Structure formats: C-alpha cells, structure tokens
Amino acid sequence: MASKPPADDPAQDAPRTAPPQHAAAGIPAVRHSLTIAQRQMGAARTARTLLKVNQKNGFDCPGCAWPEGEHRHIAEFCENGAKAVAEEATLRRVTPAFFAAHPLSDLATRSGYWLGQQGRITQPVLLERGDTPGGDGHYHPVTWEKAFEIIAEELRALDSPDEALFYTSGRTANETAFLLQLFAREFGTNNLPDCSNMCHESSGTALAETIGIGKGSVSLEDIHHADLIIVAGQNPGTNHPRMLSALEKAKAAGAKIISVNPLPEAGLERFKNPQTARSALKGTALTDLFLQIRIGGDQALFRLLNKLILDTPGAVDQAFIDEHTHGYDAFAKAAGEADWDETLTATGLTREDIEEAHRMVLASRRTIVCWAMGLTQHKHSVPTIREVVNFLLLRGNIGRPGAGVCPVRGHSNVQGDRTMGIFERPAPEFLDALDREFAITSPRHHGHDVVRSIEAMRDGDAKVLFAMGGNFVAATPDTHVTEAAIRTTRLTVHVSTKLNRSHAVTGARALILPTLGRTDRDEQASGKQIVTVEDSMGMVHASRGNLPPASTHLLSEPAIVARMARAVLGTTSRTPWEDFEKDYATIRDRIARVVPGFENYNARVARPGGFALPHAPRDERRFPTTTGKANFTDAPVEHPRVPAGRLLLQTLRSHDQYNTTIYGLDDRYRGIHDGRRVVLVNPQDARELGLADGSLTDIVSEWKDGVDRRAPGFRVVHYPTARGCAAAYYPETNVLVPLGATADASNTPASKSVIVRFEPADGAPEVPVPPAATPDQ
Ligand SMILES: Nc1nc2c(c(=O)[nH]1)N[C@H]1C(S)=C(S)[C@@H](COP(=O)(O)OP(=O)(O)OC[C@H]3O[C@@H](n4cnc5c(=O)[nH]c(N)nc54)[C@H](O)[C@@H]3O)O[C@H]1N2
Ligand SMILES: Nc1nc2c(c(=O)[nH]1)N[C@H]1C(S)=C(S)[C@@H](COP(=O)(O)OP(=O)(O)OC[C@H]3O[C@@H](n4cnc5c(=O)[nH]c(N)nc54)[C@H](O)[C@@H]3O)O[C@H]1N2
Ligand SMILES: [Mo]
C-alpha cells in the first residue's frame, strides 16, 4: 500500500466528545498507531521502520527522553513513539513545485497541522519577502553554497555578534549541538536559546541550586525498586508512554503510586501493556491515591507534607540531614508555619487526602518524585521544585537506591544538548575548557534565553534568527507579539525536516535548510555515521538511521553547522570543520576533552546500550553546590490567586500531537475527537459562568499589563478537572500566554497558569461575565 495524500486543511474544527477513558495503551493503541503509520509510509516501510525503534543497533526514538531498559522487546512498542517515527519516515514530499504553488501569503493562512502533513522537505529554499526589493514572496530552490553565502553575508553585516540568535530544539543530537555552540562562541555570542528554556529550565535551576546538578538522580532500576512514586504534573500515558511499563514493574514489586494532577489522566489510572497478553486485556491499576490538585497548588501541598513529616517523631533522617545538608533550621521553621486552611485553599484537596498521602509517605523507605510541565511552567515553579527537594531530603531520599528526583524530560536529546553547552549562561569552567581545546576566546557575558530573544527582536536588538530544528514561532508564548518581532529581522534560517508555522513567519529573507532525521541513513566521506544522545536519566547511547534519506539534496545537521561555520568564519577559524563533517568520531574526540564524563567517548558509546554519565549526588551522595551540601530552602509559599468569574487555564498536549506537530485531531483518552479548539472546564464552574456544554466561547487572558489577549472560537467541554481550573491545547492557546509572564529565576513562560475569562464567540448567545478585577499575578 502506498502512502495516502494529506487531508485537506480542516477548515471546520468540529469536535465531538465522549466520556473520558480510564485506561491507556492496550490493543487499540497498537491499532491506532499502525493506521497513522501506514497512512504516512505504507505497510512495508512501516514494518521495517518500527522494528528498529530503540533497538540496540537501531535509532533512538525521536518521541521522548524516557530511557530504554536493558531488556528490549523486539518491538519495544509505544503508540506515540510509532507516530513520531511515522511522521518523520513519511513518503510524502515537499518539492519546489509545492513552493511555486504556495506563496508565503498562502502558507501564512495554513494551520500547523496542514503544513506538517505535506511531508519531508527535499531541497534548500530561499525566500525574499514580497515587501523586499526584488522579492516575490515565494520560496525558490537555492544551492547549499548560496544558502551559506547568504547566512555569512547577513551575519557579517551585524553590528555585533549579539545581534544573532541560535536556537536549538531538543531533538538535535550531541554532535550537532556541540558544533553549534562552538560555532556561536567562536563567532562571538552566547545567544543560544533552546526549547529547554520553555520546558525543564525551572527543574534545572532548582536542582542545580539545591543538589548541585540540574539533572534527575534516578535510574530505571531505581523506579523499579521504589516503595512510593509520586507523579506530579505529568501525563505519561500520552507523553512518556514507555514510563507506564516502568510503573507497572514497580507496582508488581509492591510500589505505591500517588498522582498529583488537576486532571484524572487515563494513563495514570490503568495501563494495558500490549506486550503481555494478560495485561493487554485487563490492565494494571497504577494510581493508589489521586490528589486532584488545583493548578499551581503543588508548593503548598509539599510544604504541608513537610510539616507533617517534621511533626512525626522519628520520621526525618537526622543522620543524613546532619552529614549532607545545609539550611535545615531555617527550612524547618518555615515548614513549621505551614497552614492547613491555606493549603486546602491552594490545593483544593481535602484534609483526608493529605493525611492519606502523609501515611503513604511515612510507610515508604524509598520515595521518588517524578514531574514534568505541570510543575515547571508556573510563576513559582522554581520554589515549587525546591520544595519537592526539601521533601526528599527530609527522609534521606536522594542518593540511595529506589529514591530520588526524577524530572522527566521531553525532547529525546534536550538534556544532552545542555550537556554539550547549548546554554545562554554557560559555566565559566565549560568555556575555559572549550577555549583551551580550540584556542578561541569565548564571550563571557550571558546571552539571551527564548523570552529575551523575542524581546531582543521586538526591540530591534537582534536581526538574525537561526534555528536548529523546532518551531520557534508556534512553541513560544504571545504568538502575535512573537510573530511581529520575527518579522522585523533581516534573516530567519530554519534547519528543518518538515514545514511548520515558523516557515510562514519570516524575516526579510528566509532560508529553509532541509536535513536528515533520526531514521535516515547518514553517509559521509569516512562512511556511515552514528550520532549520540543522552536520555532523561543521563544514559548516553548511539543512534543509527537506516532508511534512505528523504531526498538526495539533504545535508546532515553536523554538515550544515560545519559548512555554515566555514562560510561565516572563513580562514580566521582554526577549527577543523571539514574533518568534523567527514567523520563525527572526530567531534566526539573533542567532546571527550571538553565535557566532563565523556572520557573515551567513542569507545564507550560503541558498547550496546552506551554508558551512564556521572552524577555526584546519585553516585556518591556528594552535592557540588556552593555550600558543598544539599541545600534546604525556605521560600514563602505562593499559589495563583484568581479573581471572581475567572479560571486558571493550563495549556497542554493532546494525545495526537508532538509539541507543535499535530498528528491528528483526536485526544482519545480524554474523549475528544475531530477537533482541537476545545476548552475543558469543571461542570460546576461552567454552570456558574453560564458556559453550556458544547457552547462556543472566546478565551481572553488577563495579565497585569492590562492587555486582553484573545483566542477566539473554542468549544466548552464539561470535564472533571479540578475546580477553578481549565485546560486547552498548545499551541493554539499560546496567543494567551503573555511574553512577560514567566517563572521567577528560570524565565520559563508560565504556560500552565494563565488567568482567563470567557466571552461569547461571534454569533453565540450573550453570557454575563462579572466585571474585571485586577489579577495579582
Ligand atoms: N506524544 C508526545 N510525547 C511528548 C510530547 C508531545 O507533545 N507528545 N512532548 C515532549 C515534551 S517536549 C515534553 S516537555 C513532555 C511533556 O510532558 P507533560 O508534562 O506530561 O505534558 P503536558 O501535556 O504539558 O502535561 C502536563 C500535565 O501536568 C498537569 N498539570 C498542569 N498544571 C498542573 C499543576 O499546577 N500541578 C500539577 N500537579 N499538575 C499540573 C496536566 O493536567 C497534565 O497532566 O512530553 C514529551 N513527550
Ligand atoms: N503554551 C505552551 N507552550 C509550550 C509548551 C506548553 O506546554 N504550553 N511546551 C514547551 C515545551 S516543553 C517545549 S520542549 C517547546 C517545544 O518547542 P520546539 O522544540 O521548538 O517545537 P517542536 O514542535 O518540538 O518542533 C517541531 C519541528 O521540529 C522540526 N524537526 C523535527 N525533527 C527534526 C530533526 O530531526 N531535525 C531538525 N533540524 N528539525 C526537526 C520539524 O520541522 C517540526 O516542525 O514548546 C514549548 N511551548
Ligand atoms: Mo519540552
């Protein structure tokens, strides 16, 4: 069977709803992913490709950063991994004829879904906007040589290297990431924003400060051996499906699970493992206690749990605290003041819920806390995650088997990119090592993160945006502000596999540089190449693509960076860019000399399964913080305060999307079908606000700058979310997230706590809305 042509742009977003499901995966998941895969790549290629996902001689799944276990099934099967692979291995192609038929003015009217469904881009293309001299507003094929010349011309024309921005999305492999940051620093800037700035930056910030390293401290083995796993602010059934197998295994060994979430997520209720016949039918109940928390209530919850632990004789691990921690007294004093009433208001939980959680915490000798975006994308995310660390430190739950912190990363190599130096605030020791190795002088002043990059473009301080993957326009907040900012630039460059909204919102000139994906074979002068990635638990391993590239005109990502560097830096650079392109092993040799933990990189990554990076707190209970100990902290408890008549909106993922890549219009587990413009509201709140189930509404966000940001035309769905809370999909709702509404200390957009009101959509009957009061956020 051949692949099917893409569906037309769904002009009509017409969602249907069914009751939410209570179990994830199982046989329907296999069926669903095979349907999507065959539509994209036909039956034979589907079979050939899916058998290679996460196998020891195959490619790393581009789906998520959850680690692979030691014992891989022949089809280590994951519905959403399969969809991610199919999306990339599609047989559909975007050729020059496509661009001839679709000028920028047309692309700009298309949805991200439609753009993505057109297939893999086959040739580099250049656009001179219609409003530029000689520009006709079409992308035209361009040679690679000419493309790099244009980049060089625009970069050299800048008044300062800091007028350039080099964005990285987390699918980028280690070798590319290392080359890109080296190039940026040799060019003279630390402007290396990345998707992590919008993702786990709050985790990195909180963990670096408290335990001395911004990464999780547990391995897969630890998950299997925990007594208690708390999953807070994460929807693994959709976003990290392979995590469900680990949770199932932990449960079989006697673990208890507490889920902390405003939504009852099906994947956390029950998992039907398609790998085993018994589990596939009946499934395993995962959650023992569901804490249906209000959005933003987690810091208050953990603070009160900490007080309850402190009040229980013998519950704290005094020996660990004395030997390994700092700041205990100030923390204990602050936690002692935790207040039941305030906590019940902040969390929306009952006293019985919290007392039950407390009993489960005391019964556990080995506790792990896992979290994702539900904890990282709030104004007070950093103090929230610090409070989670306090909670674990109290009972000595860091640095011993079966216990620890587990921030579950998103993109498959987002953690590795940071390890490779993609960071706008690099450590001086990292730059020193880089400078020594390459005889360069890296700039020491900090660069821009994502939000500051947008501000810099808006203010005329940045004129070139280069993006290694991702979808900058759609993933970032305040869509209209961001789009206007990007349109002021002189040049936008996107290294991409597929079309997305970022190609339709351009600088005066725009380049799309098509590249190989994870599944594609990568042949260079020295032969077939591998690339390497680091998973969420600090395991580094190789990835080998095995499909013929989507077109003969594609360059690999390392080749693109190497050639750009040669074009821009010219003979002034003593870096052997050409050798790097020919043989990626030579890049890894350099990484081994610059980045701690990568000694003997090539040999160690050649071993099946790869190797583990060192992690001082996990391996030796050593905490490389400024105090030399694990730091307790005592920030005041915060929680969002929402004025009457408003709800707190979180912007999240459906089951049929990978960030801004939309696979389909269903969110099966939540019972939403054929549409994405829906807003989930608690039925009682909906009644009070006069929002009938199925009615059409505009969502308007309110922030202290007084600007009303509007997302028009959403269907109200009465849904069992926590009181006072609402949920709608990203990226459609990014228009509502103010650019300035970010997390303290990490500057991550607060995409999970947006204060909104509802106004009847055009043509819908009038619904009374109470007068505005000034939100205090
Ligand atoms: N299939 C698929 N896989 C993916 C992705 C994808 O889009 N699709 N994206 C990848 C990326 S980059 C990332 S970062 C991860 C994202 O993985 P997740 O963080 O699981 O993704 P979200 O959909 O943003 O879900 C956030 C969860 O937090 C809950 N939540 C929201 N606010 C709060 C709160 O205040 N407190 C608590 N306790 N819970 C809250 C929501 O109800 C939801 O269950 O997944 C990665 N994997
Ligand atoms: N409102 C709101 N906003 C959010 C979030 C949220 O929860 N709510 N989540 C945030 C999070 S956690 C993240 S990580 C960011 C994600 O931000 P990004 O990483 O920027 O976005 P993606 O949608 O993952 O990028 C998809 C694009 O990557 C390109 N691509 C895919 N594979 C490859 C490849 O192998 N190489 C190259 N060069 N390109 C490739 C394709 O062209 C595709 O269109 O979004 C953030 N934005
Ligand atoms: Mo992410």
Side-chain angles (χ1 to χ4, degrees):
M1 190 179 89
S3 69
K4 285 204 187 134
D8 273 332
D9 206 348
Q12 195 107 8
D13 192 290
R16 293 179 294 115
T17 58
Q21 300 187 2
H22 300 286
I27 305 302
V30 178
R31 202 180 323 121
H32 186 66
S33 57
L34 288 180
T35 309
I36 289 204
Q38 294 192 6
R39 210 153 60 204
Q40 294 282 352
M41 52 184 181
R45 193 170 164 99
T46 295
R48 213 170 49 227
T49 312
L50 293 185
L51 286 175
K52 286 278 185 187
V53 190
N54 286 343
Q55 295 306 301
K56 285 185 175 163
N57 60 350
F59 58 89
D60 179 68
C61 179
C64 73
W66 188 259
E68 286 97 43
E70 262 307 293
H71 307 289
R72 295 168 209 202
H73 296 272
I74 186 68
E76 168 83 277
F77 196 83
C78 156
E79 174 187 351
N80 279 348
K83 289 195 282 196
V85 169
E87 188 75 16
E88 179 174 297
T90 180
L91 291 170
R92 298 176 190 161
R93 295 291 177 267
V94 170
T95 60
F98 171 90
F99 291 112
H102 299 280
L104 182 65
S105 54
D106 175 67
L107 297 179
T109 64
R110 303 291 181 165
S111 71
Y113 179 41
W114 185 87
L115 291 169
Q117 290 298 306
Q118 303 310 307
R120 291 285 298 272
I121 309 165
T122 56
Q123 283 192 43
V125 286
L126 165 70
L127 171 137
E128 311 262 359
R129 232 168 32 196
D131 54 1
T132 58
D136 70 352
H138 275 268
Y139 280 101
H140 296 279
V142 66
T143 62
W144 282 103
E145 216 169 30
K146 176 77 182 159
F148 294 122
E149 236 171 67
I150 290 170
I151 297 176
E153 181 185 311
E154 295 288 355
L155 286 179
R156 290 206 197 115
L158 297 175
D159 289 336
S160 142
D162 288 330
E163 289 182 344
L165 306 164
F166 298 97
Y167 174 73
T168 306
S169 169
R171 208 176 266 194
T172 307
N174 283 351
E175 290 75 6
T176 312
F178 186 78
L179 290 192
L180 184 64
Q181 62 81 34
L182 171 63
F183 164 68
R185 294 186 168 123
E186 212 175 314
F187 177 66
T189 185
N190 282 315
N191 285 345
L192 287 157
D194 69 349
C195 68
S196 194
N197 297 147
M198 300 180 273
C199 184
H200 267 292
E201 199 67 65
S202 303
S203 308
T205 305
L207 293 177
E209 208 179 289
T210 53
I211 66 167
I213 172 167
K215 298 182 182 182
S217 72
V218 302
S219 67
L220 212 44
E221 281 295 289
D222 292 320
I223 300 269
H224 297 154
H225 294 120
D227 295 327
L228 174 66
I229 302 171
I230 301 181
V231 182
Q234 191 200 350
N235 178 21
T238 286
N239 298 313
H240 307 90
R242 287 177 297 116
M243 177 174 167
L244 299 186
S245 314
L247 293 178
E248 186 187 41
K249 200 161 170 189
K251 289 282 310 201
K256 299 273 186 232
I257 295 178
I258 300 179
S259 299
V260 188
N261 203 307
L263 295 173
E265 304 285 28
L268 284 166
E269 289 182 60
R270 183 169 281 276
F271 171 49
K272 295 185 174 175
N273 190 341
Q275 233 88 242
T276 58
R278 232 187 109 246
S279 175
L281 286 179
K282 227 173 118 262
T284 308
L286 293 180
T287 293
D288 297 280
L289 175 66
F290 173 40
L291 298 180
Q292 187 163 31
I293 198 162
R294 284 190 46 149
I295 292 173
D298 303 82
Q299 189 196 5
L301 169 66
F302 280 100
R303 179 61 62 89
L304 183 64
L305 285 174
N306 287 339
K307 172 190 163 69
L308 297 178
I309 294 170
L310 284 165
D311 289 349
T312 311
V316 305
D317 184 341
Q318 202 59 51
F320 172 78
I321 291 169
D322 293 345
E323 191 181 340
H324 293 291
T325 72
H326 175 268
Y328 175 74
D329 291 341
F331 154 73
K333 182 166 177 293
E337 287 158 12
D339 178 69
W340 268 104
D341 287 341
E342 192 193 349
T343 309
L344 298 183
T345 308
T347 60
L349 299 172
T350 64
R351 200 178 168 110
E352 293 69 39
D353 283 337
I354 296 178
E355 283 172 347
E356 177 59 17
H358 174 55
R359 275 192 291 275
M360 289 171 71
V361 169
L362 292 185
S364 162
R365 288 190 44 249
R366 295 175 294 253
T367 300
I368 290 175
V369 182
C370 300
W371 72 88
M373 297 304 99
L375 255 54
T376 64
Q377 299 176 332
H378 303 283
K379 179 178 181 294
H380 60 308
S381 282
V382 175
T384 298
I385 296 162
R386 286 200 210 117
E387 200 60 33
V388 169
V389 173
N390 288 337
F391 167 78
L392 291 169
L393 291 178
L394 262 185
R395 288 173 53 77
N397 274 314
I398 293 192
R400 64 185 163 77
V405 280
C406 184
V408 183
R409 304 279 160 171
H411 263 300
S412 49
N413 196 40
V414 61
Q415 186 160 313
D417 292 341
R418 193 48 74 78
T419 309
M420 292 297 113
I422 299 289
F423 194 24
E424 74 283 354
R425 291 172 284 137
E429 308 81 64
F430 179 89
L431 295 182
D432 293 344
L434 194 69
D435 288 1
R436 265 197 311 275
E437 179 65 24
F438 292 98
I440 60 172
T441 311
S442 299
R444 292 306 196 262
H445 60 281
H446 289 171
H448 298 312
D449 61 13
V450 163
V451 166
R452 292 204 182 87
S453 292
I454 297 167
E455 290 165 349
M457 289 186 278
R458 180 196 63 194
D459 300 341
D461 297 331
K463 303 197 174 76
V464 173
L465 171 65
F466 175 96
M468 179 50 72
N471 185 358
F472 192 93
V473 164
T476 51
D478 229 345
T479 313
H480 300 314
V481 174
T482 298
E483 290 189 355
I486 287 172
R487 289 199 174 100
T488 67
T489 62
R490 298 191 40 81
L491 174 69
T492 45
V493 185
H494 290 280
V495 180
S496 309
T497 49
K498 304 188 80 180
L499 285 182
N500 61 44
R501 290 283 307 160
S502 295
H503 305 120
V505 179
T506 71
R509 302 165 103 182
L511 285 164
I512 304 176
L513 307 182
T515 192
L516 300 177
R518 284 277 169 81
T519 50
D520 299 323
R521 191 181 306 134
D522 186 350
E523 296 265 4
Q524 301 295 343
S526 68
K528 204 172 159 202
Q529 305 297 312
I530 57 161
V531 293
T532 55
V533 293
E534 173 185 343
D535 68 31
S536 196
M537 293 176 178
M539 294 292 302
V540 179
H541 62 267
S543 174
R544 293 172 185 80
N546 63 332
L547 293 176
S551 137
T552 52
H553 301 287
L554 304 187
L555 285 185
S556 74
E557 293 178 345
I560 290 173
V561 181
R563 292 191 193 191
M564 167 169 76
R566 282 165 59 203
V568 175
L569 303 171
T571 50
T572 59
S573 177
R574 278 169 290 169
T575 306
W577 299 104
E578 260 176 292
D579 297 346
F580 288 162
E581 176 177 344
K582 279 186 204 142
D583 182 0
Y584 304 169
T586 64
I587 309 174
R588 288 186 289 273
D589 284 338
R590 300 305 190 105
I591 294 172
R593 289 207 286 268
V594 173
V595 189
F598 285 81
E599 298 76 16
N600 211 5
Y601 194 178
N602 276 305
R604 285 199 294 159
V605 87
R607 274 180 229 148
F611 62 95
L613 288 174
H615 188 291
R618 180 194 63 204
D619 306 336
E620 327 159 36
R621 273 204 162 171
R622 188 167 59 76
F623 298 93
T625 62
T626 46
T627 61
K629 305 246 172 178
N631 289 319
F632 277 103
T633 50
D634 58 347
V637 171
E638 288 177 63
H639 61 92
R641 285 162 217 266
V642 184
R646 275 76 185 154
L647 297 179
L648 200 56
L649 175 80
Q650 60 154 322
T651 60
L652 80 179
R653 290 151 175 82
S654 82
H655 192 63
D656 267 1
Q657 74 183 83
Y658 191 88
N659 298 339
T660 68
T661 297
I662 311 301
Y663 303 136
L665 298 179
D666 297 341
D667 192 3
R668 198 168 75 243
Y669 298 150
R670 297 193 186 111
I672 315 285
H673 298 274
D674 300 330
R676 294 181 46 86
R677 294 187 83 82
V678 291
V679 55
L680 314 184
V681 182
N682 177 291
Q684 239 169 307
D685 289 325
R687 269 189 291 278
E688 284 172 19
L689 295 168
L691 297 169
D693 196 23
S695 63
L696 204 56
T697 183
D698 286 359
I699 313 176
V700 183
S701 74
E702 296 179 357
W703 196 56
K704 64 184 180 194
D705 63 2
V707 175
D708 278 351
R709 294 171 174 82
R710 182 177 300 264
F714 277 68
R715 288 278 163 201
V716 173
V717 178
H718 288 193
Y719 197 88
T721 180
R723 287 298 307 272
C725 303
Y729 303 131
Y730 128 79
E732 287 83 350
T733 46
N734 286 37
V735 283
L736 298 171
V737 184
L739 188 59
T742 61
D744 298 337
S746 67
N747 212 26
T748 295
S751 325
K752 295 281 191 282
S753 36
V754 186
I755 293 173
V756 296
R757 65 171 195 269
F758 298 88
E759 290 185 359
D762 272 352
E766 197 56 41
V767 181
V769 179
T774 314
D776 65 353
Q777 209 198 19

